[in-house]
Amino acid sequence: MSLVRSLAGKPWVWSFLGALVVWLATIAFTGGYGAGGMVTAALSLAVFTVIVGVGQMFVITLGPGNVDLSLPANIGLASAVAMKVMAGSDSMIVVGLLAALATGAAIGAVNYLLIWALRIPPIIATLSASFIIQSIDISYGRGLQIKPPPGFADFTNWQVLGIPVLAVLTVLFTIGAAIALQRMIYGRSVLAIGQNIRAAWLAGVNVGRIRFLTYTLSGALGGIDGALLAGYFRGANVDIGNEYLLASIAVVVIGGTSVAGGKANVPGVWGAALFLVLLLTMLNTFGVSAGVRLLLTGLIIVGVITAAGGEKAVR
């Protein structure tokens, strides 16, 4: 009984419970058909949301107003850069991934420099940057028909006993992110800034450097996500990252991270990502339109903020 109470007190449990309920509802509707395949597909697609979700989580943890709205444009540009650099050759996979990583990191760094130099809110700076990035992407990636190297495409779709290898690697990455958040000076500094930026500064935290590193990290994860998406979907696309603006914020909020900052939840990002993917699968199975799907996702986010974080967000 104490174990149940202990688990109930963990915010991430509810996101996984929600994913389980949605999965059970879907297989009940289909009579159990495709239950295993649905889990495999959910793991495969959740990976991409988790990667950008972790980056967004670190940014949001910095405190109220901090958010990275440039991620969709970042993902689109990085996917084009990766595919052009790889040029369909397996020997260029590592170079292409590094190019995508560098592209995303540069975007993240510029985002923070805009915030710092112009003294404008992050939401305005990153949104403005996204329009510039998207324009560059349209020019750079126009008519891009380069397919990913066969080895890279196979890797992003590789499964062992029905478990996507990319999902396993992403789990290891999120474990590392959780350790960094709770055990490393950088992670503790992010939490401290989100709890009280002035107190963190008085305690000796280099607030500017930590914020710079966090926005750069978010950008870098967006970049690598763009390359992986291009491999998984067999090519780059200007719009390949569009759905990850809402999704990256949704998994952070639903996963238990406080929108007021200072409190992050890495396991919850996974639970929320699986919940959203399975919810989409369920709604598709029920024949629900795209507009209704977006409406329901928005209502879920508002509901979670109201139930779990609304009272803290006003501080």
Side-chain angles (χ1 to χ4, degrees):
M1 195 70 178
S2 60
L3 177 61
V4 174
R5 287 201 190 108
S6 176
L7 287 175
K10 303 290 185 182
W12 56 266
V13 170
W14 298 104
S15 59
F16 282 99
L17 182 61
L20 177 62
V21 169
V22 171
W23 179 67
L24 291 174
T26 306
I27 61 175
F29 181 79
T30 61
Y33 177 76
M38 194 184 307
V39 173
T40 299
L43 284 170
S44 298
L45 294 173
V47 161
F48 307 111
T49 308
V50 169
I51 293 173
V52 292
V54 168
Q56 190 75 272
M57 179 197 72
F58 273 90
V59 171
I60 290 176
T61 303
L62 286 172
N66 285 282
V67 66
D68 186 355
L69 299 185
S70 68
L71 280 171
N74 179 351
I75 290 170
L77 179 58
S79 70
V81 169
M83 292 302 96
K84 275 202 171 184
V85 171
M86 291 181 190
S89 172
D90 284 336
S91 63
M92 294 296 289
I93 292 176
V94 173
V95 179
L97 287 174
L98 290 174
L101 190 68
T103 299
I107 290 171
V110 169
N111 279 337
Y112 179 70
L113 291 176
L114 285 173
I115 297 167
W116 172 77
L118 301 180
R119 297 291 190 270
I120 56 179
I123 192 171
I124 302 299
T126 56
L127 181 61
S128 301
S130 71
F131 292 128
I132 298 172
I133 297 163
Q134 194 168 40
S135 298
I136 295 172
D137 187 18
I138 291 172
S139 176
Y140 181 78
R142 182 182 291 133
L144 186 65
Q145 299 294 331
I146 303 174
K147 292 184 178 181
F152 184 56
D154 291 342
F155 166 73
T156 55
N157 289 271
W158 186 21
Q159 297 177 7
V160 176
L161 300 177
I163 301 175
V165 172
L166 198 55
V168 175
L169 294 176
T170 305
V171 167
L172 295 177
F173 160 69
T174 49
I175 291 173
I179 293 172
L181 189 66
Q182 300 296 334
R183 303 294 182 185
M184 293 178 64
I185 293 175
Y186 164 71
R188 291 183 175 183
S189 297
V190 171
L191 292 171
I193 291 171
Q195 289 162 10
N196 191 312
I197 189 169
R198 179 169 174 77
W201 178 73
L202 291 173
V205 174
N206 191 325
V207 174
R209 183 174 66 183
I210 295 300
R211 293 183 72 199
F212 172 80
L213 289 174
T214 303
Y215 276 91
T216 302
L217 171 65
S218 178
L221 291 177
I224 200 68
D225 204 52
L228 293 172
L229 278 166
Y232 186 81
F233 289 111
R234 300 295 198 275
N237 189 306
V238 173
D239 301 322
I240 200 170
N242 283 1
E243 67 180 88
Y244 294 97
L245 174 58
L246 178 61
S248 68
I249 298 172
V251 294
V252 173
V253 176
I254 295 171
T257 293
S258 171
V259 293
K263 178 185 175 184
N265 197 304
V266 178
V269 173
W270 259 110
L274 289 170
F275 170 71
L276 288 179
V277 171
L278 288 168
L279 177 65
L280 179 62
T281 302
M282 181 184 74
L283 295 176
N284 281 334
T285 302
F286 292 169
V288 177
S289 67
V292 175
R293 293 199 301 267
L294 288 173
L295 175 63
L296 288 175
T297 304
L299 289 174
I300 288 168
I301 295 173
V302 171
V304 171
I305 292 175
T306 302
E311 72 285 355
K312 188 178 178 183
V314 296
R315 72 172 173 85

